[in-house]
Amino acid sequence: MNHSGIDPHTHLAMDFMGTQTIDDFVSGQAAALAGGTTMHIDFVIPVDGSLTAGFDQYIDKAKNSVMDYGFHMAVTKWDETVSKDMEVMVKEKGINSFKFFMAYKGSLMINDDLLLQAFEKCKSLGALAMVHAENGDGVAEGQKKMIDLGITGPEGHALSRPPVLEGEATARAIRLASFVNTPLYVVHVMSTDAMEEIAKAKKAGQRVVGEPVVSGLVLDDSWLWDPDFSIAARYVMSPPIRKVGHGKALQAALSTGILQLVGTDHCTFNSTQKALGFDDFRKIPNGVNGIEERMHLIWDAMVESGQISVTDYVRVTSTECARIFNIYPRKGAILPGSDADIIVLNPNANYKITASSHHSRSDTNVYEGKIGKGKVEVTISRGRIVWRHGNLNVVPGSGKYMRMSPFSYLFDGIEKADAEYLASLHAPVQRTSVAS
């Protein structure tokens, strides 16, 4: 028996790069339940910059949900309306986290000026600021460079946005959050470079949460050089999956608490959609699968290998997420009053991952053929058996929207630190007027 999983990072029914992810709130959630995850937190994307329109659209997208879900809100532009809408989201709609893109220049990216204002707003609302940390200007340059070199295939994707650009943006976000004195959550930490910036900040006592994703922990970028475009394109996501070595370093960081919880960034496109970028890697829709595979792969990579204990496994796949997003102990615990979300994971049973047997609508799987130990045999969602011995029993519309309250434990003591800072200024200094 075990707590079931909570996936802090998914994109279901998301309109992106000229198409929509192949998994919606039914197929993606069915896949999650089959993999032992009973709650996920998805990202609401604003409509023409409007948070309210985005929220309404996502509530509609999720109306046939088969499991519990929460929302983070992406912020893609900044003005007074957005600032006011953020208050409404936190106070009335149950959202306690906002994501800012430092990448995707010309579409989702916001600059430092806006990032600082947004961090201040998050702090005042007790909402967690999240960043996609890549230097968007650098990426745009890198893409231009690759195209100029005639590198148009999927390998150009990895080459155009190297780890140094992820490390730079992570360091910048961390320092700006420190300047504002607000907690920071770095999504999909993919490189040693970014992880080391987080480690340094944590050592200095700063509240920074690092979220690795399964693809970054267990895959490497060699697939992007596959001569078969349809195979290589599967692995295109941002930040990219890195060279051999980064994954092992991220696993070690997860085992020592430098990185705190595991997401998936499940954002699936089938091979027809991926083919949109056949002659230009910039047009390949970014994203890989993982919502169904996460609990299995993390057990095999981390517990089976002896890097973490079973208790740690529960923490990185469930409890820590519930605490950070302030839904513990309703979720992430097996206690009186908690939702009865439980899985039976058999540590001695083997699993094998294939696109032909998975529940995602995608016709490919980036973990194709992977076998390992630790199989989820039963999933119980709020007391109902929804997955048992390979059979899924889901009811469209049974999933509940989970409201998440602001001021999680990450905000404890922030006011005291602010007061200390003000006391330390020894300013303004009283000066006598200058003699004329």
Side-chain angles (χ1 to χ4, degrees):
M1 286 291 203
N2 220 321
H3 305 217
S4 58
I6 308 173
D7 188 340
H9 190 152
T10 62
H11 298 281
L12 302 181
M14 177 173 75
D15 297 299
F16 188 52
M17 296 183 75
T19 182
Q20 190 182 74
T21 54
I22 197 88
D23 280 322
D24 59 17
F25 280 80
V26 177
S27 69
Q29 291 181 343
L33 292 171
T37 289
T38 55
M39 177 177 169
H40 69 111
I41 313 179
D42 209 82
F43 287 87
V44 170
I45 310 294
V47 175
D48 297 328
S50 164
L51 307 192
T52 314
F55 184 81
D56 293 345
Q57 186 186 69
Y58 268 76
I59 286 290
D60 188 54
K61 285 179 181 190
K63 65 177 182 287
N64 292 322
S65 281
V66 297
M67 75 184 220
D68 295 349
Y69 60 96
F71 286 140
H72 309 289
M73 173 71 72
V75 173
T76 53
K77 73 169 196 182
W78 186 258
D79 56 33
E80 254 328 287
T81 312
V82 171
S83 178
K84 289 217 167 52
D85 275 355
M86 280 173 72
E87 285 180 42
V88 175
M89 291 300 141
V90 173
K91 292 172 178 161
E92 295 170 27
K93 307 291 190 188
I95 282 179
N96 66 2
S97 51
F98 294 93
K99 178 183 178 185
F100 308 97
F101 293 90
M102 299 169 83
Y104 303 118
K105 189 174 180 175
S107 61
L108 302 171
M109 177 174 143
I110 64 171
N111 62 20
D112 290 356
D113 170 27
L114 304 185
L115 202 56
L116 281 164
Q117 293 178 55
F119 280 3
E120 291 280 5
K121 189 69 186 181
C122 283
K123 179 183 180 178
S124 71
L125 293 171
L128 184 55
M130 312 175 86
V131 288
H132 171 132
E134 283 183 292
N135 184 310
D137 294 318
V139 170
E141 271 308 297
Q143 289 177 330
K144 189 177 167 303
K145 194 192 296 184
M146 290 309 130
I147 298 294
D148 289 348
L149 287 168
I151 302 169
T152 57
E155 69 281 7
H157 177 74
L159 296 169
S160 69
R161 42 205 321 149
V164 65
L165 295 183
E166 190 189 349
E168 186 282 327
T170 304
R172 182 159 38 103
I174 284 171
R175 286 171 172 83
L176 295 179
S178 160
F179 177 65
V180 172
N181 187 30
T182 197
L184 180 71
Y185 184 112
V186 184
V187 302
H188 50 44
V189 177
M190 297 295 281
S191 63
T192 312
D193 308 48
M195 178 271 287
E196 282 173 347
E197 296 295 342
I198 292 165
K200 194 164 75 176
K202 284 190 126 148
K203 206 169 165 187
Q206 195 177 336
R207 291 186 196 172
V208 182
V209 176
E211 167 207 270
V213 289
V214 184
S215 52
L217 290 164
V218 308
L219 297 172
D220 65 66
D221 74 352
S222 58
W223 292 101
L224 290 165
W225 273 259
D226 194 286
D228 180 337
F229 173 86
S230 71
I231 292 174
R234 270 176 222 181
Y235 295 87
V236 169
M237 65 171 287
S238 296
I241 295 163
R242 306 297 187 185
K243 284 189 172 60
V244 173
H246 289 269
K248 278 277 174 266
L250 295 173
Q251 287 185 19
L254 182 62
S255 71
T256 53
I258 291 167
L259 300 175
Q260 275 166 264
L261 73 167
V262 182
T264 59
D265 195 5
H266 182 90
C267 184
T268 44
F269 298 99
N270 66 17
S271 36
T272 314
Q273 293 173 301
K274 289 277 189 178
L276 292 169
F278 182 73
D279 46 16
D280 184 347
F281 67 82
R282 295 170 300 181
K283 296 184 179 141
I284 299 170
N286 285 207
V288 301
N289 61 286
I291 203 166
E292 183 168 356
E293 298 79 13
R294 180 181 74 124
M295 298 295 278
H296 293 129
L297 289 164
I298 296 305
W299 181 278
D300 189 67
M302 301 301 296
V303 184
E304 192 55 35
S305 67
Q307 291 187 85
I308 63 173
S309 66
V310 176
T311 314
D312 283 337
Y313 174 76
V314 170
R315 179 175 57 77
V316 303
T317 58
S318 173
T319 316
E320 191 55 36
C321 180
R323 288 182 68 226
I324 288 169
F325 296 105
N326 226 6
I327 44 174
Y328 183 89
R330 179 163 176 198
K331 297 288 186 191
I334 302 176
L335 293 166
S338 302
D339 287 343
D341 298 331
I342 298 164
I343 59 172
V344 179
L345 185 142
N346 182 345
N348 301 314
N350 290 327
Y351 63 80
K352 180 174 185 182
I353 298 171
T354 63
S356 55
S357 63
H358 72 197
H359 294 80
S360 159
R361 282 196 190 131
S362 177
D363 59 348
T364 64
N365 191 308
V366 292
Y367 308 104
E368 187 66 44
K370 272 203 186 293
I371 46 176
K373 271 226 165 42
K375 190 166 176 23
V376 175
E377 294 185 339
V378 181
T379 305
I380 298 169
S381 167
R382 267 195 282 110
R384 264 187 43 248
I385 296 175
V386 287
W387 169 255
R388 187 193 218 154
H389 307 312
N391 295 315
L392 203 53
N393 171 26
V394 297
V395 180
S398 61
K400 283 203 168 73
Y401 172 56
M402 302 291 301
R403 291 171 167 270
M404 302 187 282
S405 310
F407 295 104
S408 74
Y409 82 92
L410 291 168
F411 284 85
D412 293 353
I414 291 271
E415 286 158 3
K416 285 184 178 157
D418 282 343
E420 245 171 60
Y421 164 74
L422 290 173
S424 76
L425 297 178
H426 306 303
V429 174
Q430 299 303 313
R431 294 186 173 84
T432 52
S433 60
V434 179
S436 52

